[in-house]
Amino acid sequence: MTEPRLIPVGRPASIFEQVGGHATFTALVDAFYAGVDQDAELIAMYPEGHDLDGAKWRLQAFLEQYFGGPTTYSEQRGHPRLRMRHMPFPVTFDARDRWLTHMRAALDSIDLAPLHDELMWDYFQRAATAMVNTADGDRQPPGPLL
């Protein structure tokens, strides 16, 4: 009688791995910044203007880490502290909506499986709203997180 064969169980693949790794995040970030570069209101918020290489690296490294990839972002920049890092910039609801418009187009361009698309889109919507720090007409920024 043959003994049953045990199948080793490893850790589940991260979202980073499931969606295609570094190449997928490069495509996402490139598509996103192609839109930002054409958005006069949004590009004006970037200190380096149309030179987006630094912004691309920071966003890609952060997203790769957030979704279970390499920890390069934290190794080089420390804790993400997203709200603090965005505080010097007047992030209004209009800026959030513009950012989300370009990120939605970028997500559509990489054609993820529905589950991964929904998971990432949910994160982007929550994170973008959390960055709002400046009143926009009668729309007020969210209060401090408790």
Side-chain angles (χ1 to χ4, degrees):
M1 175 173 197
T2 309
E3 292 202 25
R5 195 169 131 204
L6 297 177
I7 300 171
V9 178
R11 67 171 175 77
S14 66
I15 300 301
F16 172 80
E17 294 164 329
Q18 291 175 36
V19 300
H22 183 75
T24 297
F25 284 88
T26 298
L28 175 70
V29 168
D30 285 349
F32 170 73
Y33 277 111
V36 168
D37 196 40
Q38 300 302 308
D39 187 320
E41 297 291 323
L42 207 49
I43 196 68
M45 295 176 69
Y46 286 80
E48 295 87 23
H50 294 276
D51 179 7
L52 295 169
D53 289 342
K56 284 181 174 184
W57 182 90
R58 289 185 297 273
L59 179 61
Q60 183 165 345
F62 170 76
L63 292 176
E64 288 181 354
Q65 178 175 302
Y66 183 84
F67 288 106
T71 57
T72 309
Y73 183 92
S74 287
E75 290 165 8
Q76 293 191 18
R77 295 184 49 86
H79 189 282
R81 300 186 306 264
L82 293 182
R83 190 150 166 86
M84 182 200 79
R85 291 183 192 276
H86 288 82
M87 202 51 73
F89 309 102
V91 182
T92 63
F93 285 100
D94 179 63
R96 176 207 58 190
D97 294 347
R98 289 171 177 277
W99 192 96
L100 285 171
T101 295
H102 299 299
M103 188 54 77
R104 179 69 261 170
L107 272 173
D108 290 345
S109 77
I110 62 171
D111 196 31
L112 296 175
L115 176 65
H116 295 121
D117 183 274
E118 185 177 328
L119 185 143
M120 292 178 82
W121 181 238
D122 177 66
Y123 170 73
F124 292 140
Q125 290 178 90
R126 289 182 292 110
T129 298
M131 296 306 109
V132 175
N133 60 23
T134 303
D136 189 8
D138 59 354
R139 294 163 56 175
Q140 297 298 309
L145 300 175
L146 300 175

